[in-house]
Structure formats: C-alpha cells, structure tokens
Amino acid sequence: MNLPNRLTILRTLMIPVFLFFLLTDYAGNCSKWIAVIVFILASLTDFLDGQIARRFNMVTELGKAIDPLADKLMQFAIALCLLITYFHIWTFILMLTIFVIKEITLLIFDIVLFKKEKKIDGAKFFGKVSTFVFYVAMGFLLLLPSTVSFWSTAVYIATSVSSFFLLLSYILYFPVLIKLYRS
C-alpha cells in the first residue's frame, strides 16, 4: 500500500463526505463551500496519485484498478448531484448522457478484454484531458449560484465544452480498444 494508492483510497473516502455536505445543510451556509473544498481536494489527489506513481516508479496493479474506479465514482457523484440543479438545461443532460454512455461502453470493453486477458495500459492522454475538463466544468457549476438565471449561459458553455471533450475521448478510445481486442 504505497502513497499513490493511499491517495486514491482517500479520494474514494471523500466521496461520501462531499455528498453529505453538498446535499445537506449540516454546516448551514458553509455546507456547499465545504463540499467544494472536498471536491477540490479530491481532484488534487487524482492528479497527485498519478504524478507520484509515475515519477517515483510506484505504479501498481492495485493502483491501476482502483484509480479509475475512484475517478468514476467521484465523477458520477458530482454529476448526479448537479443534475438536481441543472436537470432543465439540455446541454447538461447531453453531457451526462455522453458521460454515462462512454463509461458503460468502456466498462463493457474492459470486461471483454479482461476475459481475453488483455487490458488498456493506463489512461490515454485524451482521456486525461477529458477528465480534467469534466472536473473543471463540474467545479465551475458547483461554484455558481443555482438560483440566478443569468448564469445559464455559463452553464451552457461549460457543459458544451465538457460534452465536446467527453465525446472526443469516447471516439478516440474506439480504435485503441478495437486494436487491442483484435491483437
């Protein structure tokens, strides 16, 4: 259990804390801000665990398995929470749909490849960029006041940009997966 794996586990444990503060008024007006801070810390651990693992040769099979799982759990948690606020904005629904289809497709491919004793050798650059843009867009949406309609243009832009990068990542993963399947 090395430092990158501990950071990934910490990120996973932050998810219920994030959800608790975002969905309750436990800390009054500070609840949303505590959730934002937890989200930022979780996002930083996502960046740090990979950097530390690669830079200090601490990449493990456990880390390769739990890191993407922690990422997806955090991404699903924030997207579903924000769906409560932005369910009426079509670009948010589009982004969430692309995200879900992409992740289900990749999960199915992972299962099929696992049965063939094959796997993708780590996240690809375009997947990392897509994840980064998704985190930035979701963090931005977290910070917006949900009651002011003036911000709807910003929501359209943030979710459209995230949708573009999610779709691009989805499309770019296909040749990689097909090539790996056929090999």
Side-chain angles (χ1 to χ4, degrees):
M1 183 61 65
N2 62 23
L3 179 59
N5 291 346
R6 287 183 179 149
L7 287 171
T8 300
I9 290 170
L10 176 62
R11 182 168 71 254
T12 305
L13 295 174
M14 288 181 184
I15 296 168
V17 175
F18 165 79
L19 291 171
F20 176 78
F21 283 105
L22 189 63
L23 298 175
T24 71
D25 282 338
Y26 180 77
N29 293 338
C30 294
S31 284
K32 178 180 179 180
W33 294 107
I34 293 170
V36 168
I37 290 167
V38 170
F39 173 72
I40 290 169
L41 290 173
S43 299
L44 288 174
T45 65
D46 183 24
F47 172 76
L48 284 175
D49 67 5
Q51 290 297 314
I52 292 168
R54 285 185 294 279
R55 187 164 291 161
F56 297 103
N57 198 24
M58 299 173 121
V59 176
T60 65
E61 290 303 314
L62 175 63
K64 288 180 186 179
I66 63 174
D67 182 63
L69 179 62
D71 291 348
K72 300 315 165 205
L73 290 173
M74 186 61 169
Q75 291 170 358
F76 271 115
I78 191 169
L80 291 177
C81 286
L82 289 173
L83 180 61
I84 295 166
T85 304
Y86 298 111
F87 70 92
H88 61 288
I89 297 183
W90 71 270
T91 56
F92 185 88
I93 301 301
L94 175 67
M95 181 197 65
L96 192 58
T97 303
I98 294 168
F99 176 73
V100 169
I101 290 170
K102 173 183 170 263
E103 295 309 323
I104 289 173
T105 303
L106 291 176
L107 177 65
I108 291 168
F109 262 104
D110 283 344
I111 292 168
V112 169
L113 291 171
F114 179 78
K115 287 182 179 181
K116 291 183 76 169
E117 297 181 3
K118 297 178 181 182
K119 61 182 174 177
I120 296 177
D121 190 31
K124 301 298 178 199
F125 176 75
F126 46 84
K128 291 178 184 182
V129 170
S130 173
T131 298
F132 174 77
V133 171
F134 185 83
Y135 273 135
V136 169
M138 295 301 98
F140 176 73
L141 295 180
L142 268 178
L143 293 173
L144 288 180
S146 58
T147 57
V148 182
S149 63
F150 168 78
W151 291 105
S152 61
T153 302
V155 174
Y156 285 121
I157 292 168
T159 54
S160 295
V161 168
S162 184
S163 294
F164 171 78
F165 280 96
L166 284 167
L167 188 58
L168 182 64
S169 173
Y170 181 61
I171 292 167
L172 291 174
Y173 262 113
F174 262 97
V176 173
L177 295 168
I178 298 298
K179 182 179 179 182
L180 190 58
Y181 178 78
R182 290 181 178 165
S183 66

